[in-house]
């Protein structure tokens, strides 16, 4: 399994994500945002957390127009896997690979804490390592994680079983407590919580590890 | 040709230079200085940059040890953490700017300390901050707390460094001067540390990072004066931070340093281009020539004076190996940052500043740097504290409730949850109780960080208070199983021209020096902030101690949580010292009596006992202000388990005797600890047990859930 981690100048969870993917058995290449092509034979692209271009305007808006992002969109169009975490999720909504938008937290403050998370579907290669209804404890750290979708989109996401995770005790005002959503083909996942921060015992929890393990296994066994 | 203002008495005074200091300038250069030169002298000789009132005393601090790679004098201290790795760290204040403009003041405080660390070649891996504010009910406090916390978070979160610890306190003495002390630590290979001393003649001097604007002109001079009612006019002296640029500058510097192109490097902090250029030249015994028209500028028509004194952020100055210019430039092009050759090193002892071919300053460099005034300020010893008057007994639960509903002792979640504490994915122990702990990336080694001081103690008894700040830091490190390695100090005081304030400073330094020597945690870096006064009212003397420790393997971390059924033991003797205690201050509104005495030999004995017996300890907390009652509650609260202590008397529960720890362990471990304590000559007492859903002190009790709700909401209720 070959994974590319995209690096924007303000990415700051790029190494963390690479470590988590490598731990699960992936071979990882870091790809600079000014590149316009991905390395060959990439199975999966990960877009890390951080502040891609400072995010002084709308989070992820400038990153969505970076040269490499066109290659990411093309990869997704071919049915490739894309995982966006935190700022990566914001970038994915800005590119249109995932629907909805992420707004300023309802409390208006940045919040970093360990969050109770519910697994809403196991029907994806990202979530098949969990069981539906399982409760996870995964950290969040964001200022703009308030997921917004109109009634029609919300009904569609629910109807198509595309809500991957919801929050217990909603920390940011997200509609329907949504913490992560899947694309129509279930190959693109965006989520605000940071599974890469809970993958080994030193972190005090390993609740994030099954996500990376399941994804690597899905590619390897495909 | 631009004309510069005439040198008048008013102009000299407005640069913070005394008539005597101006005379000295005339003697050094043998003529009247130009306007730009006056600005340069003012920048180099202000208290903030020259340490002119404090130097004499700072020299007395212990700074050596086998673990020390680089002590005070560089951008940050460097210590050896084994395996060829080094930790680079420092704490620095940004008090004056944060009071004037809390968000940007605090943000650029973070920016400055992070640059100090990565200038030396280290990647920042942990941050802390120690914040002091006025009375929660004072009309400015709420705005300051909100602005400062958002500023610290806004900068650190975007930069991508985990904030793993810190302190927040309130006291009316900070009504007119808040304190923002920021700590950062970074990791580097021990043989790849970068220093500031220039070498080689005719080497290019290169400007790196963000462009220069007019922000922060005169900032260091502003930070060296008291406040009065003209404070609003000082807003333009506060810089504006851009963490995204800082993050790129850090990454670019890391790549640049790998190219081998860096001969020496220095960040542009206080007094910007002036201080950094002079420092690099002086340390290398060289002169420096600058051509200001080459400086990347953000604004039009900037004068030499403005460029030399600007404190625009996210900038560096380096001396470049000219053979590698292309490689170095390519790194900065990649990160979209400025890279401009703005001058060169010269053989003569000369600081020559040209702007469009015109000489704006021509000064003897070594003299300029080395001849800053140094004062032996008169000081008087702080008189012994009046004896403590009678303290009425109080229902123990009422006492605890009063403490945890006060913002000083309430939970600080509202603060630390605004900081990313886990980015870099190596955080092992998040903020909340005691020291923060991170893993050295790719290893099983851990580093622990703590920041401590109890200003009430320092005011009552500067020497014991200074000792206590170090001792508490030492205990916080031991409580997680870490061996204390070294210390950084951030000394915040009032006006040093007042003998009683200078006396506080001298006393605190003596105490700190004694303690770091006894506990083997030398001072490797630090910062002094004086003139924290408004309209003649000084702050509490606040010598913040930032300390780091090491745990050789993650298995040796004392990181567990209290469980139902654990025994509660106190290590160290309790006599019930209530002078200057939290209980007195918060419940009785009194600040009388002496600070607790610190027995450094006992601190060492008990601290080593904790570390040597870590296998027998499930969880541990040091006992500090708030005493046994507060520590027991905090350990119970974080684990969500009740606690029941056998005693209910006020001195035992709320006394603040030093050299004590509260330990939780199972019954068999407790027996073994008693045996070990007997052998080591350490005092140990069984004081109760953890379990159930109540907090009970003797017969008094209350539900944990009710107290926890108070503890978790009181801070935000008071100041959010």
């Amino acid at each position: 399994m070959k994974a590319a981690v995209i690096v924007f100048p303000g990415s700051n969870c790029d190494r963390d994500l690479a470590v988590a993917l490598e731990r699960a058995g992936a071979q990882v290449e870091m790809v600079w945002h000014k590149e316009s092509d991905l390395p060959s034979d990439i199975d999966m692209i990960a877009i890390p957390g951080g502040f891609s271009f400072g995010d002084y305007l709308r989070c992820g808006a400038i990153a969505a127009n970076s040269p490499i992002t066109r290659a990411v969109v093309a990869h997704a169009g071919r049915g490739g896997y894309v995982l966006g975490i935190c700022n990566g999720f914001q970038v994915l909504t800005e590119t249109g690979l995932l629907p909805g938008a992420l707004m300023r937290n309802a409390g208006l403050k940045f919040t970093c804490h360990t969050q109770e998370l519910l697994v809403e579907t196991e029907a994806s290669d990202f979530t098949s390592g969990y069981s539906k209804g399982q409760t996870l404890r995964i950290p969040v750290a964001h200022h703009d994680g308030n997921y917004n979708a109109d009634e029609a989109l919300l009904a569609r996401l629910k109807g198509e079983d595309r809500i991957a995770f919801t929050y217990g005790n909603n920390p940011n005002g997200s509609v329907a407590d949504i913490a992560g959503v899947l694309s129509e083909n279930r190959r693109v996942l965006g989520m605000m919580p940071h599974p890469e921060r809970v993958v080994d015992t030193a972190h005090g929890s390993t609740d994030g590890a099954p996500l990376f393990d399941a994804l690597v296994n899905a590619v390897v066994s495909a | 040709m631009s004309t510069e203002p005439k040198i008048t008495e008013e102009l000299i005074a407005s640069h913070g230079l005394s008539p005597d200091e101006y005379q000295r300038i005339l003697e050094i250069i043998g003529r009247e200085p130009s306007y730009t030169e006056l600005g340069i002298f003012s920048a180099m000789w202000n208290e903030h940059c020259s340490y002119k009132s404090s130097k004499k005393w700072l020299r007395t601090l212990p700074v050596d040890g086998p673990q020390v790679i680089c002590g005070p004098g560089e951008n940050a201290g460097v210590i050896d953490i084994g395996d060829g790795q080094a930790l680079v760290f420092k704490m620095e204040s940004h008090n004056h700017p944060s009071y004037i403009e809390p968000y940007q003041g605090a943000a650029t405080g973070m920016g400055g300390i992070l640059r100090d660390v990565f200038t030396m070649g280290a990647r920042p891996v942990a941050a802390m901050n120690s914040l002091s504010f006025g009375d929660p009910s004072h009309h400015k406090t709420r705005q300051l707390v909100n602005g400062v916390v958002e500023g610290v978070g806004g900068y650190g979160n975007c930069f991508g460094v985990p904030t793993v610890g810190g302190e927040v306190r309130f006291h009316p003495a900070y009504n007119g001067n808040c304190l923002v002390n920021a700590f950062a630590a970074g990791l580097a290979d021990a043989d790849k540390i970068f220093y500031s001393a220039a070498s080689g003649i005719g080497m290019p001097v290169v400007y790196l990072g963000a462009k220069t604007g007019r922000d922060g002109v005169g900032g260091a001079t502003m930070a060296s004066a008291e406040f009065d009612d003209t404070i609003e006019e000082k807003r333009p002296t506060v810089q504006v931070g851009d963490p995204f640029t800082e993050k790129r500058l850090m990454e670019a510097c890391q790549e640049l340093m790998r190219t081998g192109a860096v001969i020496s490097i220095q960040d542009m902090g206080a007094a910007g281009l002036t201080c950094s250029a002079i420092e690099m030249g002086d340390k290398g015994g060289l002169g420096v020539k600058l051509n200001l028209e080459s400086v990347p500028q953000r604004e039009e028509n900037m004068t030499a004076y403005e460029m030399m004194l600007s404190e625009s952020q996210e900038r560096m100055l380096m001396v470049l190996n000219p053979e590698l210019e292309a490689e170095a430039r390519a790194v900065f092009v990649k990160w979209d940052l400025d890279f401009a050759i703005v001058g060169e090193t010269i053989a003569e002892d000369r600081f020559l500043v040209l702007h469009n071919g015109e000489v704006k300053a021509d000064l003897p460099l070594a003299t300029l740097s080395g001849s800053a005034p140094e004062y032996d300020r008169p000081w008087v010893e702080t008189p012994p504290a009046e004896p403590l008057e009678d303290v009425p007994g109080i229902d123990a639960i009422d006492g605890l409730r009063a403490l945890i509903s006060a913002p000083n002792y309430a939970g600080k979640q509202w603060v630390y949850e605004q900081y990313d504490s886990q980015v870099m994915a190596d955080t092992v122990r998040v903020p909340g109780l005691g020291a923060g702990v991170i893993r050295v990336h790719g290893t099983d080694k851990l580093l622990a960080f703590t920041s401590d001081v109890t200003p009430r103690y320092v005011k009552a008894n500067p020497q014991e208070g200074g000792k206590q700040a170090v001792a508490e830091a030492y205990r916080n490190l031991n409580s997680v199983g870490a061996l204390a390695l070294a210390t950084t100090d951030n000394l915040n005081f009032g006006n040093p021209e007042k003998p009683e304030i200078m006396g506080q400073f001298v006393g605190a330094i003596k105490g700190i020096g004694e303690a770091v020597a006894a506990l083997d945690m030398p001072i490797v870096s630090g910062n002094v902030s004086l003139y924290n006064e408004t309209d003649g009212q000084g702050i509490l003397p606040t010598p913040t101690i930032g300390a780091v420790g090491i745990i050789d393997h993650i298995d040796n971390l004392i990181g567990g949580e209290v469980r139902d059924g654990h025994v509660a033991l106190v290590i160290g003797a309790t006599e019930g010292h209530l002078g200057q205690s939290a209980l007195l201050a918060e419940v009785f509104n009194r600040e009388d009596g002496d600070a607790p005495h610190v027995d450094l030999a006992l601190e060492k004995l008990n601290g080593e006992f904790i570390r040597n017996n870590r296998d027998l300890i499930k969880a541990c907390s040091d006992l500090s202000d708030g005493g046994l009652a507060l520590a027991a509650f905090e350990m119970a609260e974080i684990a969500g388990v009740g606690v029941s202590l056998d005693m209910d008397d006020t001195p035992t529960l709320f006394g603040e005797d030093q050299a004590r720890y509260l330990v939780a362990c199972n019954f068999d471990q407790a027996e073994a600890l008693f045996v070990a304590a007997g052998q080591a000559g350490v005092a140990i007492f069984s004081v109760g047990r953890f379990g159930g859903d109540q907090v009970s002190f003797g017969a008094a009790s209350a539900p944990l859930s009710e107290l926890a709700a108070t503890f978790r909401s009181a801070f935000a209720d008071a100041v959010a």
Side-chain angles (χ1 to χ4, degrees):
Chain A
M1 145 88 149
K2 273 179 81 174
V5 172
I6 307 296
V7 184
F8 297 106
S11 298
N12 60 29
C13 302
D14 42 336
R15 186 191 73 184
D16 312 352
L17 195 47
V19 168
L21 283 162
E22 280 168 356
R23 202 199 134 277
Q27 185 191 335
V28 179
E29 283 200 50
M30 310 303 276
V31 179
W32 183 237
H33 70 106
K34 287 180 183 173
E35 302 289 329
S36 45
D37 296 309
L38 289 160
S40 57
D41 309 329
I42 286 292
D43 300 301
M44 181 242 173
I45 297 170
I47 308 180
F51 290 70
S52 46
F53 282 87
D55 290 345
Y56 294 116
L57 301 169
R58 229 169 49 233
C59 298
I62 298 175
N65 293 293
S66 250
I68 196 63
T69 307
R70 284 189 283 278
V72 174
V73 173
H75 172 84
R78 290 191 296 269
Y81 293 101
V82 181
L83 169 64
I85 294 172
C86 200
N87 191 223
F89 185 15
Q90 294 162 344
V91 173
L92 291 177
T93 60
E94 287 292 333
T95 60
L97 285 177
L98 289 174
L102 291 148
M103 307 189 303
R104 177 89 357 152
N105 293 347
L108 303 180
K109 304 271 188 206
F110 187 96
T111 185
C112 173
H113 62 269
T114 297
Q115 172 69 44
E116 191 177 292
L117 211 59
L118 290 169
V119 179
E120 292 292 333
T121 178
E122 42 186 81
S124 83
D125 290 336
F126 298 96
T127 56
S128 63
Y130 301 116
S131 45
K132 185 175 167 153
Q134 187 180 346
T135 301
L136 310 176
R137 289 178 62 76
I138 295 188
V140 293
H142 58 248
H143 211 155
D144 299 84
N146 180 353
Y147 186 74
N148 191 35
D150 61 22
E151 288 293 332
L153 173 59
L154 191 58
R156 202 174 148 203
L157 290 175
K158 284 182 177 166
E160 295 173 3
D161 188 29
R162 286 168 57 190
I163 300 170
F165 302 103
T166 54
Y167 301 110
N169 203 3
N170 191 334
N172 55 28
S174 288
V175 64
D177 302 329
I178 289 173
V181 295
L182 291 156
S183 62
E184 228 177 314
N185 69 357
R186 314 187 84 75
R187 292 285 182 102
V188 180
L189 170 68
M191 63 189 293
M192 288 312 295
H194 286 275
E196 79 280 14
R197 294 184 182 186
V198 274
V199 294
D200 77 46
T201 49
H203 294 139
S205 159
T206 54
D207 282 359
L211 186 149
F212 300 102
D213 292 342
L215 189 58
V216 171
N217 287 338
V219 173
V220 170
S221 49
Chain B
M1 187 176 136
S2 60
T3 50
E4 292 192 329
K6 269 200 163 54
I7 308 297
T8 62
E9 275 178 36
E10 292 76 36
L11 193 69
I12 294 163
S14 75
H15 280 75
L17 292 162
S18 70
D20 285 351
E21 287 170 347
Y22 184 68
Q23 269 310 310
R24 193 143 168 194
I25 293 173
L26 295 180
E27 285 159 26
I28 290 172
I29 62 175
R31 61 175 166 82
E32 183 178 83
S34 71
Y35 178 55
T36 303
E37 288 172 337
L38 186 73
I40 289 172
F41 273 105
S42 139
M44 292 301 294
W45 284 8
N46 65 64
E47 188 67 57
H48 186 80
C49 295
S50 73
Y51 295 90
K52 60 190 169 191
S53 303
S54 58
K55 238 191 276 184
K56 172 186 158 81
W57 297 101
L58 296 177
R59 282 195 201 100
T60 66
L61 288 170
V63 297
D64 294 319
Q67 69 274 47
V68 178
I69 294 175
C70 173
E74 281 288 337
N75 286 292
V78 186
I79 60 166
D80 189 342
I81 57 164
D83 308 313
Q85 292 176 306
L87 188 73
V88 178
F89 69 97
K90 187 182 181 184
M91 186 179 259
E92 192 161 79
S93 63
H94 229 214
N95 303 336
H96 289 69
S98 299
Y99 192 79
I100 297 173
E101 168 48 57
Y103 184 96
Q104 292 298 344
T108 53
M110 276 295 283
I113 195 65
L114 290 166
R115 271 196 308 288
D116 278 335
V117 166
F118 71 74
T119 305
M120 299 198 70
R123 177 175 283 268
V125 293
M128 298 192 284
N129 50 80
S130 171
L131 311 176
S132 306
F133 298 104
D135 193 304
S137 62
H138 185 264
H139 68 94
K140 284 211 61 151
T141 301
R142 187 176 292 245
Q143 175 219 350
L144 288 170
V145 173
N146 279 271
V148 164
V149 171
E150 271 188 47
V152 168
Y155 208 97
N157 297 344
C158 177
F159 180 84
V161 63
T163 294
V164 298
E167 330 166 69
V168 186
R169 73 176 58 81
F170 299 90
H171 190 280
Y174 303 104
N175 280 350
N177 297 80
C178 64
L179 302 184
V180 175
N181 294 177
F183 169 101
L187 284 169
D189 289 342
D191 60 351
K192 295 194 185 73
I193 305 292
F194 288 81
Y195 296 100
S196 56
S199 71
I201 293 159
M203 294 297 167
V205 173
V206 182
Y207 173 113
L208 306 169
K211 294 187 195 313
T212 296
R214 290 190 171 92
D215 52 326
V217 171
T221 305
M222 170 277 287
S224 304
E226 289 184 37
F227 284 153
D228 52 29
D229 52 16
T230 64
I231 179 170
E232 279 301 315
E233 296 166 17
K234 291 177 174 151
R235 198 174 291 270
T237 62
V238 179
Q239 316 86 320
V240 177
D242 176 3
F244 173 59
T245 298
E246 177 107 332
K247 154 83 170 147
R248 288 183 293 145
L249 183 60
M250 184 270 289
E251 297 288 358
C253 283
Q254 293 259 311
E255 287 182 23
L256 172 72
M257 287 162 173
R258 286 197 289 269
T259 65
V262 180
I263 292 175
S264 75
I265 187 161
Q266 169 78 31
D267 91 292
M268 289 194 227
L273 196 48
T274 295
C275 243
S276 54
I278 292 173
E279 191 144 341
M280 288 172 71
D282 182 45
K283 287 203 174 127
L286 294 167
V288 173
K289 178 178 152 192
L290 296 178
N291 300 306
L292 294 183
E293 63 280 5
S294 306
V295 169
Q297 292 158 53
R298 198 172 62 212
E299 297 174 59
E300 286 179 10
N301 301 320
M302 287 190 67
T303 65
Y305 177 90
E306 288 166 336
M307 279 188 262
M308 292 309 292
L309 295 192
S310 163
E311 292 189 6
S312 290
Q313 298 289 291
E314 294 94 23
R315 303 180 301 161
M316 296 271 195
L317 204 61
M318 89 164 154
V319 177
L320 169 76
N321 174 354
E323 288 167 14
L324 292 169
E325 183 187 333
E327 289 86 336
R329 192 181 289 273
V331 170
F332 281 75
V333 169
K334 172 185 167 186
W335 289 95
D336 298 315
L337 291 165
D338 274 297
F339 178 103
I341 295 176
V342 297
E344 60 177 336
T345 56
I346 54 178
E348 306 134 84
D349 171 28
R350 200 171 172 196
F351 187 48
L352 183 59
V353 179
L354 303 168
H355 192 201
N356 298 322
E358 206 177 302
V359 175
K360 290 295 180 181
D362 188 355
L363 300 167
L365 190 144
T367 319
L368 179 59
S369 174
S371 67
E374 184 176 332
Y375 297 123
D376 184 1
R377 301 256 188 222
W379 58 280
V380 293
E381 192 132 355
T382 303
E386 297 289 327
L388 180 65
E389 291 181 22
D390 282 348
V391 179
I394 179 173
D395 175 89
I397 292 292
D398 287 350
L400 175 67
R401 202 179 267 124
L403 285 188
I404 62 175
S405 16
N408 269 318
Y409 301 100
K412 305 294 190 296
Q413 286 88 349
W414 182 88
V415 177
Y416 63 74
E417 289 187 354
Q418 293 189 54
Y419 308 145
D420 193 332
S421 54
Q422 292 154 62
V423 62
M424 304 187 91
D426 280 314
T427 301
V428 171
R429 203 166 186 274
V430 295
L433 185 58
V437 179
I438 64 156
R439 176 174 55 183
V440 177
H441 191 68
T443 75
D444 290 317
K445 280 189 298 192
L446 307 180
L447 295 167
F449 302 91
T450 184
S451 142
D452 300 281
V453 61
T454 310
R456 274 194 316 274
Y457 295 170
V458 189
K459 185 172 186 212
N461 186 334
Q463 194 159 344
E464 287 303 312
K467 276 160 69 179
Q468 194 278 338
V470 177
E472 185 173 335
Y474 175 75
R475 291 199 301 268
N476 273 320
L477 295 175
N478 289 322
S479 296
V480 294
L483 172 69
L485 284 181
T487 305
T488 180
D489 58 348
N490 198 152
L491 308 171
N492 309 273
F493 289 81
N495 182 347
E497 294 164 40
K498 295 180 182 168
E500 59 279 12
I501 299 286
M502 204 55 210
Q504 292 175 343
F505 184 80
V506 171
I509 290 257
K510 286 184 182 170
I512 290 168
E514 226 182 290
V516 299
L519 302 175
D520 192 20
M521 40 200 294
I523 306 273
V524 296
S525 58
N527 166 247
V528 179
S529 172
L530 301 174
Y531 297 97
N532 291 288
E533 296 210 358
T534 295
D535 296 331
Q537 286 296 106
I539 58 161
L540 294 183
T542 312
T544 312
I545 294 297
V548 304
I550 191 161
I551 301 168
D552 56 359
H553 193 279
I554 190 166
D555 292 344
N556 291 325
L557 169 74
I558 303 174
E561 267 190 358
V562 163
R563 294 262 162 78
D564 203 315
H566 279 166
V567 179
L569 306 177
V570 168
I571 308 297
T574 301
E575 285 173 12
H577 182 98
L578 285 171
Q580 300 299 336
S581 63
L583 185 82
L584 269 195
E586 298 291 348
V587 177
F588 299 104
N589 202 19
R590 281 168 52 184
E591 290 180 23
D592 57 335
D594 200 355
H597 173 67
V598 180
D599 179 336
L600 293 166
L602 196 62
E603 289 287 356
K604 198 164 172 133
L605 179 74
N606 294 356
E608 283 173 357
F609 178 78
I610 294 289
R611 280 203 319 281
N612 292 338
N613 292 284
R614 53 191 155 206
D615 293 348
L616 299 173
I617 297 171
K618 293 292 187 194
C620 180
S621 172
D622 99 297
L623 297 191
S624 54
D625 49 354
L628 174 59
L630 187 62
F633 169 76
E634 287 181 341
M635 280 176 81
E637 194 275 338
I638 209 161
V641 169
V643 62
S644 156
L645 300 185
D646 306 332
M647 60 288 282
D648 63 0
D649 70 290
T650 303
T652 308
L653 283 172
F654 294 98
E656 299 184 359
D657 309 274
Q658 300 294 296
R660 294 187 303 156
Y661 299 82
L662 177 60
V663 161
C665 60
N666 63 39
F667 188 77
D668 292 346
Q669 290 170 321
E671 286 202 322
L673 277 172
F674 268 91
V675 173
Q679 285 163 353
V682 164
I684 183 168
F685 306 89
S686 172
V687 295
R689 57 177 288 278
F690 291 96
D693 58 5
Q694 300 284 308
V695 174
S696 316
F697 301 142
S701 84
L704 173 66
S705 57
E706 177 216 313
L707 295 172
T710 302
F711 181 69
R712 286 179 172 254
S713 63
F715 188 96
D717 290 349
V719 294

